[in-house]
Amino acid sequence: MDGAERLRGGPAAAVRDPRLFEEFYRRHVDAVMRFVARRVDDPHTAADLTAEIFLAVLDSADSYRPRLGSETAWLYGIARNVVSSERRRVAREAERDLRFSGRRLLEADDIARIEDRLDAESPGRRALAALTSLPEGERAVMELIAVDQLTVTEAAAALGIRQVTARVRLHRARKALREETDVEETDVKAPETDAAAPSLMHVARGGARA
């Protein structure tokens, strides 16, 4: 995905040099924000999670392996863990209002910009909703391939699983979605205006990049 623009030395070099980290951040922040915006619909949460993902890069930089995929795919693996952790945290909280106590303030322009991004990624959130019936492991692979547009190899790397495992899970997910579509196709097929719908159905029908 971003091999041509990959930072020399990768994330490990970036975390040792503030200038390189700024370059790394600017190169990838839009992709990370899009990933988050496909999974949350609140601008403050989207901003906080995006910041947390790049903070997590500081602790995980040495885990990046170029042969396993792009920097974007690696970041998506980190982002998925951060988003999942946030969901678990929120689920444990009795009062969601408590989340405001540690939230950084956003300017009006920041909120408007993030809301625009959330609106743009609403088809992706609907596509993700169509996968909720799948088991967790199969859903994770389908999310990264059909919605986030990773290859099978990159999805495996992002999830920390073998490529053969990813392919097996993808096959099972496709089969389940095809069966569901055969019963009632409108349950999975989104309106024609949804940008994420074609890729979702393409993978469900058997298309995916290696």
Side-chain angles (χ1 to χ4, degrees):
M1 295 180 67
D2 57 355
E5 299 180 350
R6 183 176 292 144
L7 184 71
R8 179 174 297 180
V15 300
R16 293 192 295 268
D17 184 329
R19 181 184 60 80
L20 290 180
F21 190 80
E22 177 70 14
E23 178 184 341
F24 179 85
Y25 174 85
R26 292 184 181 280
R27 176 177 300 154
H28 295 295
V29 65
D30 285 344
V32 170
M33 177 62 79
R34 287 195 298 270
F35 181 97
V36 173
R38 287 191 284 269
R39 288 158 173 83
V40 303
D41 58 8
D42 174 71
H44 289 90
T45 301
D48 288 349
L49 291 178
T50 299
E52 287 181 26
I53 288 162
F54 282 98
L55 286 175
V57 167
L58 299 176
D59 295 326
S60 306
D62 289 335
S63 69
Y64 175 61
R65 298 292 182 271
R67 62 183 176 80
L68 297 179
S70 65
E71 290 176 355
T72 300
W74 176 75
L75 277 167
Y76 280 2
I78 294 174
R80 192 172 186 280
N81 290 335
V82 170
V83 173
S84 296
S85 178
E86 171 66 5
R87 286 172 175 167
R88 290 192 296 270
R89 185 184 73 82
V90 170
R92 290 194 299 265
E93 289 184 352
E95 296 292 334
R96 291 178 61 91
D97 288 344
L98 294 177
R99 298 182 62 241
F100 285 99
S101 60
R103 171 171 287 169
R104 67 186 182 92
L105 296 178
L106 295 177
E107 299 292 339
D109 288 346
D110 293 329
I111 294 176
R113 176 178 55 81
I114 296 174
E115 285 178 337
D116 287 343
R117 177 57 52 77
L118 293 172
D119 288 342
E121 297 301 334
S122 60
R125 292 197 297 275
R126 288 193 289 273
L128 289 173
L131 303 178
T132 55
S133 62
L134 296 174
E136 169 61 24
E138 295 167 18
R139 183 172 69 251
V141 173
M142 277 293 287
E143 283 183 4
L144 292 172
I145 293 173
V147 181
D148 297 311
Q149 297 294 291
L150 296 188
T151 65
V152 175
T153 300
E154 290 172 334
L159 294 171
I161 60 178
R162 296 184 302 164
Q163 289 185 38
V164 65
T165 302
R167 292 185 184 281
V168 168
R169 291 180 182 178
L170 178 61
H171 173 75
R172 291 174 178 169
R174 286 172 175 164
K175 181 179 179 182
L177 286 177
R178 283 197 299 267
E179 290 174 352
E180 183 176 344
T181 303
D182 289 341
V183 172
E184 189 175 354
E185 184 154 347
T186 56
D187 286 347
V188 175
K189 186 176 181 180
E192 292 182 359
T193 55
D194 286 358
S199 60
L200 175 61
M201 295 310 300
H202 177 65
V203 176
R205 295 299 185 185
R209 295 171 297 152

